[in-house]
mmCIF file of all heavy atoms in Angstrom:
data_model
loop_
_atom_site.group_PDB
_atom_site.id
_atom_site.type_symbol
_atom_site.label_atom_id
_atom_site.label_comp_id
_atom_site.label_asym_id
_atom_site.label_seq_id
_atom_site.Cartn_x
_atom_site.Cartn_y
_atom_site.Cartn_z
ATOM 1 N N ARG Z 36 1.266 -20.767 -5.489
ATOM 2 C CA ARG Z 36 0.570 -22.134 -6.020
ATOM 3 C C ARG Z 36 0.273 -23.025 -4.853
ATOM 4 O O ARG Z 36 -0.639 -23.813 -4.869
ATOM 5 C CB ARG Z 36 1.738 -22.847 -6.860
ATOM 6 C CG ARG Z 36 2.005 -22.243 -8.249
ATOM 7 C CD ARG Z 36 3.157 -22.758 -8.847
ATOM 8 N NE ARG Z 36 3.344 -24.045 -8.937
ATOM 9 C CZ ARG Z 36 3.276 -24.772 -10.117
ATOM 10 N NH1 ARG Z 36 3.289 -24.256 -11.264
ATOM 11 N NH2 ARG Z 36 3.443 -26.130 -10.145
ATOM 12 N N VAL Z 37 1.059 -22.870 -3.710
ATOM 13 C CA VAL Z 37 0.707 -23.803 -2.601
ATOM 14 C C VAL Z 37 -0.603 -23.303 -2.025
ATOM 15 O O VAL Z 37 -1.483 -24.168 -1.586
ATOM 16 C CB VAL Z 37 1.924 -23.641 -1.424
ATOM 17 C CG1 VAL Z 37 1.422 -24.399 -0.245
ATOM 18 C CG2 VAL Z 37 3.184 -24.180 -1.977
ATOM 19 N N ARG Z 38 -0.779 -21.952 -1.915
ATOM 20 C CA ARG Z 38 -2.102 -21.444 -1.384
ATOM 21 C C ARG Z 38 -3.197 -21.715 -2.319
ATOM 22 O O ARG Z 38 -4.357 -22.061 -1.809
ATOM 23 C CB ARG Z 38 -1.964 -19.988 -1.236
ATOM 24 C CG ARG Z 38 -1.013 -19.497 -0.109
ATOM 25 C CD ARG Z 38 -1.494 -19.797 1.300
ATOM 26 N NE ARG Z 38 -2.791 -19.217 1.507
ATOM 27 C CZ ARG Z 38 -3.021 -18.044 2.016
ATOM 28 N NH1 ARG Z 38 -1.966 -17.330 2.497
ATOM 29 N NH2 ARG Z 38 -4.245 -17.576 2.289
ATOM 30 N N ARG Z 39 -2.945 -21.759 -3.568
ATOM 31 C CA ARG Z 39 -3.974 -22.029 -4.503
ATOM 32 C C ARG Z 39 -4.453 -23.470 -4.661
ATOM 33 O O ARG Z 39 -5.585 -23.820 -4.696
ATOM 34 C CB ARG Z 39 -3.635 -21.484 -5.844
ATOM 35 C CG ARG Z 39 -4.732 -21.394 -6.840
ATOM 36 C CD ARG Z 39 -4.411 -20.371 -7.979
ATOM 37 N NE ARG Z 39 -3.248 -20.791 -8.892
ATOM 38 C CZ ARG Z 39 -2.120 -20.187 -8.928
ATOM 39 N NH1 ARG Z 39 -1.888 -19.152 -8.198
ATOM 40 N NH2 ARG Z 39 -1.176 -20.553 -9.615
ATOM 41 N N TYR Z 40 -3.390 -24.410 -4.739
ATOM 42 C CA TYR Z 40 -3.600 -25.832 -5.022
ATOM 43 C C TYR Z 40 -3.501 -26.690 -3.747
ATOM 44 O O TYR Z 40 -4.042 -27.742 -3.684
ATOM 45 C CB TYR Z 40 -2.806 -26.316 -6.142
ATOM 46 C CG TYR Z 40 -2.970 -25.510 -7.446
ATOM 47 C CD1 TYR Z 40 -1.851 -25.005 -8.067
ATOM 48 C CD2 TYR Z 40 -4.204 -25.276 -7.966
ATOM 49 C CE1 TYR Z 40 -1.999 -24.187 -9.156
ATOM 50 C CE2 TYR Z 40 -4.317 -24.698 -9.217
ATOM 51 C CZ TYR Z 40 -3.112 -24.148 -9.872
ATOM 52 O OH TYR Z 40 -3.359 -23.336 -10.961
ATOM 53 N N GLY Z 41 -2.615 -26.153 -2.803
ATOM 54 C CA GLY Z 41 -2.430 -27.016 -1.583
ATOM 55 C C GLY Z 41 -1.676 -28.314 -1.805
ATOM 56 O O GLY Z 41 -1.964 -29.343 -1.217
ATOM 57 N N ARG Z 42 -0.720 -28.315 -2.650
ATOM 58 C CA ARG Z 42 0.124 -29.453 -3.018
ATOM 59 C C ARG Z 42 1.438 -29.557 -2.165
ATOM 60 O O ARG Z 42 2.095 -28.483 -2.160
ATOM 61 C CB ARG Z 42 0.426 -29.696 -4.513
ATOM 62 C CG ARG Z 42 -0.891 -29.849 -5.312
ATOM 63 C CD ARG Z 42 -0.581 -30.338 -6.610
ATOM 64 N NE ARG Z 42 0.074 -29.278 -7.532
ATOM 65 C CZ ARG Z 42 -0.456 -28.605 -8.447
ATOM 66 N NH1 ARG Z 42 -1.704 -28.924 -8.778
ATOM 67 N NH2 ARG Z 42 0.279 -27.741 -9.184
ATOM 68 N N ARG Z 43 1.839 -30.723 -1.795
ATOM 69 C CA ARG Z 43 3.030 -30.810 -0.983
ATOM 70 C C ARG Z 43 4.346 -30.527 -1.797
ATOM 71 O O ARG Z 43 5.225 -29.828 -1.225
ATOM 72 C CB ARG Z 43 3.195 -32.241 -0.325
ATOM 73 C CG ARG Z 43 4.405 -32.386 0.575
ATOM 74 C CD ARG Z 43 4.560 -33.860 0.853
ATOM 75 N NE ARG Z 43 4.961 -34.643 -0.343
ATOM 76 C CZ ARG Z 43 5.183 -35.955 -0.329
ATOM 77 N NH1 ARG Z 43 5.037 -36.567 0.812
ATOM 78 N NH2 ARG Z 43 5.424 -36.635 -1.354
ATOM 79 N N ASN Z 44 4.369 -30.913 -3.035
ATOM 80 C CA ASN Z 44 5.548 -30.730 -3.846
ATOM 81 C C ASN Z 44 5.792 -29.281 -4.166
ATOM 82 O O ASN Z 44 6.937 -28.819 -4.119
ATOM 83 C CB ASN Z 44 5.480 -31.562 -5.115
ATOM 84 C CG ASN Z 44 5.568 -33.058 -4.919
ATOM 85 O OD1 ASN Z 44 5.378 -33.573 -3.840
ATOM 86 N ND2 ASN Z 44 6.050 -33.738 -5.916
ATOM 87 N N ASP Z 45 4.791 -28.485 -4.286
ATOM 88 C CA ASP Z 45 4.928 -27.104 -4.428
ATOM 89 C C ASP Z 45 5.569 -26.429 -3.141
ATOM 90 O O ASP Z 45 6.366 -25.488 -3.235
ATOM 91 C CB ASP Z 45 3.631 -26.375 -4.746
ATOM 92 C CG ASP Z 45 3.142 -26.710 -6.181
ATOM 93 O OD1 ASP Z 45 4.157 -26.981 -7.013
ATOM 94 O OD2 ASP Z 45 2.003 -26.577 -6.554
ATOM 95 N N LEU Z 46 5.205 -27.017 -1.985
ATOM 96 C CA LEU Z 46 5.683 -26.522 -0.685
ATOM 97 C C LEU Z 46 7.120 -26.844 -0.746
ATOM 98 O O LEU Z 46 7.964 -25.960 -0.275
ATOM 99 C CB LEU Z 46 4.924 -27.164 0.399
ATOM 100 C CG LEU Z 46 5.391 -26.685 1.888
ATOM 101 C CD1 LEU Z 46 5.179 -25.317 2.166
ATOM 102 C CD2 LEU Z 46 4.807 -27.648 2.938
ATOM 103 N N LEU Z 47 7.529 -27.977 -1.062
ATOM 104 C CA LEU Z 47 8.931 -28.353 -1.076
ATOM 105 C C LEU Z 47 9.800 -27.482 -2.047
ATOM 106 O O LEU Z 47 10.846 -27.027 -1.724
ATOM 107 C CB LEU Z 47 9.101 -29.851 -1.489
ATOM 108 C CG LEU Z 47 8.462 -30.842 -0.640
ATOM 109 C CD1 LEU Z 47 8.755 -32.169 -1.081
ATOM 110 C CD2 LEU Z 47 9.003 -30.794 0.869
ATOM 111 N N ILE Z 48 9.227 -27.198 -3.154
ATOM 112 C CA ILE Z 48 9.930 -26.355 -4.096
ATOM 113 C C ILE Z 48 10.118 -24.871 -3.547
ATOM 114 O O ILE Z 48 11.157 -24.244 -3.691
ATOM 115 C CB ILE Z 48 9.171 -26.231 -5.510
ATOM 116 C CG1 ILE Z 48 9.205 -27.594 -6.163
ATOM 117 C CG2 ILE Z 48 9.821 -25.251 -6.425
ATOM 118 C CD1 ILE Z 48 8.265 -27.771 -7.371
ATOM 119 N N ALA Z 49 9.000 -24.405 -2.951
ATOM 120 C CA ALA Z 49 9.076 -22.960 -2.312
ATOM 121 C C ALA Z 49 10.097 -22.992 -1.270
ATOM 122 O O ALA Z 49 10.820 -21.982 -1.108
ATOM 123 C CB ALA Z 49 7.670 -22.647 -1.865
ATOM 124 N N TYR Z 50 10.180 -24.087 -0.524
ATOM 125 C CA TYR Z 50 11.266 -24.163 0.629
ATOM 126 C C TYR Z 50 12.568 -24.110 -0.082
ATOM 127 O O TYR Z 50 13.525 -23.329 0.393
ATOM 128 C CB TYR Z 50 11.017 -25.424 1.458
ATOM 129 C CG TYR Z 50 12.291 -25.790 2.220
ATOM 130 C CD1 TYR Z 50 12.683 -25.150 3.400
ATOM 131 C CD2 TYR Z 50 13.055 -26.791 1.600
ATOM 132 C CE1 TYR Z 50 13.758 -25.553 4.099
ATOM 133 C CE2 TYR Z 50 14.222 -27.065 2.321
ATOM 134 C CZ TYR Z 50 14.621 -26.517 3.527
ATOM 135 O OH TYR Z 50 15.715 -27.008 4.243
ATOM 136 N N THR Z 51 12.870 -24.826 -1.088
ATOM 137 C CA THR Z 51 14.239 -24.972 -1.747
ATOM 138 C C THR Z 51 14.543 -23.498 -2.196
ATOM 139 O O THR Z 51 15.694 -23.215 -2.037
ATOM 140 C CB THR Z 51 14.029 -25.852 -2.878
ATOM 141 O OG1 THR Z 51 13.857 -27.195 -2.455
ATOM 142 C CG2 THR Z 51 15.426 -25.987 -3.585
ATOM 143 N N LEU Z 52 13.714 -22.914 -2.870
ATOM 144 C CA LEU Z 52 13.990 -21.518 -3.508
ATOM 145 C C LEU Z 52 14.162 -20.414 -2.400
ATOM 146 O O LEU Z 52 15.097 -19.666 -2.419
ATOM 147 C CB LEU Z 52 12.884 -21.120 -4.439
ATOM 148 C CG LEU Z 52 12.611 -22.021 -5.609
ATOM 149 C CD1 LEU Z 52 11.459 -21.518 -6.451
ATOM 150 C CD2 LEU Z 52 13.936 -22.032 -6.513
ATOM 151 N N ALA Z 53 13.357 -20.539 -1.343
ATOM 152 C CA ALA Z 53 13.538 -19.575 -0.197
ATOM 153 C C ALA Z 53 14.941 -19.914 0.505
ATOM 154 O O ALA Z 53 15.586 -18.840 0.889
ATOM 155 C CB ALA Z 53 12.400 -19.793 0.876
ATOM 156 N N LEU Z 54 15.208 -21.127 0.698
ATOM 157 C CA LEU Z 54 16.552 -21.464 1.320
ATOM 158 C C LEU Z 54 17.618 -20.860 0.407
ATOM 159 O O LEU Z 54 18.631 -20.390 1.012
ATOM 160 C CB LEU Z 54 16.624 -22.963 1.622
ATOM 161 C CG LEU Z 54 17.896 -23.417 2.261
ATOM 162 C CD1 LEU Z 54 18.150 -22.806 3.554
ATOM 163 C CD2 LEU Z 54 17.957 -24.951 2.287
#
Side-chain angles (χ1 to χ4, degrees):
R36 289 164 56 113
V37 176
R38 293 291 301 270
R39 191 160 67 247
Y40 303 124
R42 295 195 293 252
R43 184 191 63 179
N44 286 24
D45 286 334
L46 178 67
L47 298 176
I48 296 171
Y50 159 80
T51 298
L52 298 175
L54 179 59

